[in-house]
Amino acid sequence: MKNRRTQAPSAPTDHWLANGQVKTYRRGQRIIEAGSPLGDWVAISRGAAYLVSQVAPGTRVAVAALWLGDVIGGESPLGKLAARYDVTALVDVTTINIPLTQLQADTAQPETGQLYTATASRLQDQISMRLAGNGLQRLVSVMATLATALAPDARARHADRLALPIAQACIGQLSGLSRRQTWIYLGQLGRHGWVVTARSKVTLEGLTAWLALMQEVESAGIECIASLEQCDATLLRLSARALGRP
């Protein structure tokens, strides 16, 4: 579960990035439409987006979130020449766009492999969790992923909490859960003090623990969040570790 932040193309200082076009998208705005041609290499340099797939006629589900440093345009894990997913801004998003023809003709041969690999790994980890985890594991991993994607830098935080900018229904879709299942699990986590819910917003409490959670899952195994009791114990342990308590 490699849910860590990627070294991103945040400032176009390299020659090939300096030639890119910077584009901005407001929260909720579609960045890429499924099935559309991908003529540009596109990397997220600020913000986070979510991917939506059409699984049947009239049925669309959110499948993953991507953020700083992820590549979402042509020749990316999201599609070579045509987009496999809709990509929509979770929050305000900035991208760097470079025509594929220009990138391929660049004699400097920019090193994009690491960005492609990180995006593919992040996408695959989230899809694998949807297939392998139980309902609680999927929900908790999605919220930890969103925390990683959306949390401000530690120096910019004013409190150990984070309001996720999406509704419970979207979190449920990303987790592969029904609305009722999502409501039940969020209620259980809320009674243990880890979330505060409203109709259109979910706030994570103990943000430091949420940010460390997926790395803990990677090292300790998915069983550490297999039940409500185990999830609560794991988050408590991570909170204590962050405060330096034994």
Side-chain angles (χ1 to χ4, degrees), residues 212 216 236-245:
E216 182 73 7
L236 284 171
R237 183 170 67 254
L238 294 174
S239 290
R241 184 186 301 170
L243 293 172
R245 296 174 181 168

Side-chain angles (χ1 to χ4, degrees), residues 17 20 27 31 79 81 87 106 123 128 148 162 175 195 199 212 220 242:
L17 285 177
R27 173 183 171 183
I31 301 171
L81 298 176
V87 183
D106 195 324
L123 181 60
S128 296
T148 304
L162 175 68
S175 310
V195 300
R199 177 171 296 184

Side-chain angles (χ1 to χ4, degrees), residues 117-224:
T117 299
T119 301
S121 177
R122 197 169 284 168
L123 181 60
Q124 186 58 49
D125 282 350
Q126 292 177 64
I127 292 174
S128 296
M129 178 64 82
R130 286 173 65 93
L131 298 174
N134 65 32
L136 179 64
Q137 287 168 326
R138 298 200 303 271
L139 181 76
V140 167
S141 70
V142 162
M143 292 195 295
T145 295
L146 292 173
T148 304
L150 300 171
D153 182 88
R155 292 169 296 182
R157 288 181 214 148
H158 300 293
D160 196 26
R161 65 202 316 257
L162 175 68
L164 300 177
I166 58 177
Q168 292 184 35
C170 187
I171 292 175
Q173 281 192 16
L174 285 166
S175 310
L177 300 174
S178 69
R179 287 174 181 261
R180 178 170 174 75
Q181 288 173 310
T182 304
W183 178 77
I184 290 172
Y185 286 133
L186 286 175
Q188 292 172 338
L189 289 166
R191 286 191 287 275
H192 281 76
W194 295 112
V195 300
V196 175
T197 61
R199 177 171 296 184
S200 61
K201 185 170 66 175
V202 174
T203 299
L204 301 181
E205 300 286 355
L207 177 59
T208 304
W210 283 104
L211 290 173
L213 184 58
M214 294 314 292
Q215 187 172 349
E216 182 73 7
V217 169
E218 185 178 344
S219 60
I222 195 174
E223 290 303 311
C224 72

Side-chain angles (χ1 to χ4, degrees), residues 21-53:
Q21 180 183 8
V22 175
K23 295 187 177 182
T24 58
Y25 301 86
R26 302 295 293 175
R27 173 183 171 183
Q29 187 175 354
R30 186 175 296 174
I31 301 171
I32 293 174
E33 183 176 358
S36 63
L38 295 172
D40 286 352
W41 182 92
V42 183
I44 298 173
S45 61
R46 184 176 68 86
Y50 67 98
L51 279 53
V52 174
S53 175

